[in-house]
Amino acid sequence: MPSADPFPVVATVELIGDRWIWRIDCGPDGEAIDFQSGPVDDVRDASRDMNDSLRALVDVVKGWSDLSEVARAEHVNALKQRGRRLAGAFFDGRQDEFARYLGLLTSPVLTQYTYGRSEQPLFEHCLLNDGNGEFFLGERCICRYRVINAKRADLRKHYEAAQRAGPRLVGYAEDSSLDSACRMHNRPDPARSEEEISILTDLAGGKDRLSVLDALTESLSDAELEVLRNWIAEKNHVLHFNCHTDQSLEFPRLRLRSGAKIGILEMTHPVRAADFRGTLVFLNASSSVIGRSSLKTSIAEFFRQRRASCILCTTGPIEDRFATRLARVFYDHLGDGMNVVTALLAARQKLLEEGHPMALQYTFIGNDNHRLV
């Protein structure tokens, strides 16, 4: 008689009162294991300290390839020092014990229950030690957000595993002010390997399967809004944004070619509701999972509410050249048949090996087994 599938072991984290509670739902003895953080103010201070360092790192990363190995190591070690402080606050001294239990997880995913608060701690930047050496939590696990009103027992039911059939279709939009954008709209330059559009063209399998959003003016006329909404509504396997995020208003907006800023209001059709089931949405822009007043106002949440199967997004500032590098490595793995979790972890690990701690800024919302056709 065949043996039963092993019971899936999952990990969650949630703010309860003035403490973060981490739970591995099935330990070696079959019982749940809980870890309580220190006071929430200590966690907030440590997280802000780390976030300040990451913001400063954006400028450093621009010249990363020109830095000596010693200089790179100094920047990484400074982040590690803050990562130790963050882990100490999050686990109240039990971080090494938590690290040893990570091997129990069925899938390398931690789920954060959130009610939509805009301030989110940088879990994946916690520096842990399992007895074999130090590592950032994000090197081994991805922490995905789950905006909730009430808990459900089965996390997987929250995200549909629908997949689109047919030839692989890709939608692409970019901010013309970025170095990684085409110098002329929808006219890639083969001599410029830094152009992000080339990655998506390869993923689609040719230019005829790549739908590039038209250039839109800053004033966004009614006709341009119709173009945007029709493009958004196309049934693509992948929808990729390569742009800046404007967080100055309550509802964040993406800056696109040529100066247009689009957010939830601009993308919402007054008559036809968009449905992104089966679509992977990649928001390759700074802080794309963070809303101005709450997570529920974020660009990522717009796509989640409209049933996107998977949304790749960022928890903080991202440098343009690095963002393109990560996208290339991620899509290479995804195109080889990996699911989104495995592909994102592999991309993180690859760039961390190259000395790029910004890889930890990428996370996802959605079904952890999503794959491309």
Side-chain angles (χ1 to χ4, degrees), residues 169-173 200 204 209-213 231 234 236-241 280 331:
L169 303 175
V170 178
Y172 178 76
L200 282 303
R209 293 182 183 176
L210 183 69
S211 174
V212 180
L213 177 64
W231 175 81
E234 292 175 0
N236 289 303
H237 296 86
V238 175
L239 194 60
H240 185 99
F241 293 86
L280 164 67
Y331 282 128

Side-chain angles (χ1 to χ4, degrees), residues 286-300:
S286 295
S287 305
S288 53
V289 76
I290 305 298
R292 174 74 174 180
S293 59
S294 74
L295 283 174
K296 294 180 181 179
T297 64
S298 72
I299 299 292

Side-chain angles (χ1 to χ4, degrees), residues 97-322:
E97 182 184 355
F98 178 82
R100 291 192 291 272
Y101 282 121
L102 282 178
L104 296 175
L105 300 185
T106 306
S107 176
V109 177
L110 295 165
T111 298
Q112 179 200 344
Y113 291 120
T114 175
Y115 291 87
R117 299 175 181 88
S118 58
E119 185 175 347
Q120 299 298 311
L122 300 170
F123 300 111
E124 287 148 314
H125 292 76
C126 288
L127 196 70
L128 307 177
N129 192 323
D130 62 359
N132 295 313
E134 288 186 318
F135 59 93
F136 287 107
L137 176 57
E139 292 182 62
R140 300 190 184 179
C141 291
I142 292 172
C143 184
R144 67 175 172 195
Y145 297 105
R146 182 180 176 214
V147 179
I148 57 170
N149 292 317
K151 290 184 185 178
R152 294 180 186 173
D154 189 348
L155 294 174
R156 292 180 185 274
K157 288 182 179 178
H158 190 63
Y159 303 108
E160 298 187 45
Q163 298 206 255
R164 297 196 186 282
R168 185 182 298 165
L169 303 175
V170 178
Y172 178 76
E174 66 181 9
D175 178 354
S176 51
S177 70
L178 295 175
D179 289 340
S180 60
C182 295
R183 288 176 174 164
M184 297 184 68
H185 176 58
N186 201 13
R187 294 182 64 180
D189 182 350
R192 298 185 71 236
S193 60
E194 65 270 26
E195 290 184 351
E196 200 155 312
I197 192 172
S198 64
I199 303 170
L200 282 303
T201 303
D202 291 344
L203 184 72
K207 198 172 185 300
D208 59 329
R209 293 182 183 176
L210 183 69
S211 174
V212 180
L213 177 64
D214 290 349
L216 306 173
T217 62
E218 190 172 354
S219 59
L220 266 182
S221 67
D222 288 344
E224 288 178 320
L225 279 174
E226 188 67 15
V227 168
L228 168 66
R229 290 164 178 168
N230 288 337
W231 175 81
I232 282 279
E234 292 175 0
K235 302 300 183 183
N236 289 303
H237 296 86
V238 175
L239 194 60
H240 185 99
F241 293 86
N242 172 34
C243 52
H244 284 298
T245 307
D246 179 358
Q247 299 272 355
S248 62
L249 301 178
E250 179 180 359
F251 292 98
R253 297 175 296 171
L254 301 174
R255 188 186 187 283
L256 302 177
R257 183 186 298 268
S258 300
K261 293 181 180 179
I262 66 163
I264 294 172
L265 297 178
E266 290 77 17
M267 290 189 288
T268 302
H269 198 284
V271 178
R272 301 190 303 276
D275 186 341
F276 299 102
R277 277 179 292 188
T279 298
L280 164 67
V281 179
F282 194 155
L283 300 172
N284 206 9
S286 295
S287 305
S288 53
V289 76
I290 305 298
R292 174 74 174 180
S293 59
S294 74
L295 283 174
K296 294 180 181 179
T297 64
S298 72
I299 299 292
E301 178 67 4
F302 168 84
F303 290 101
R304 189 196 69 82
Q305 289 179 358
R306 287 155 184 81
R307 301 182 179 182
S309 292
C310 189
I311 305 141
L312 261 74
C313 40
T314 60
T315 59
I318 300 297
E319 193 273 328
D320 178 40
R321 185 166 25 175
F322 167 80

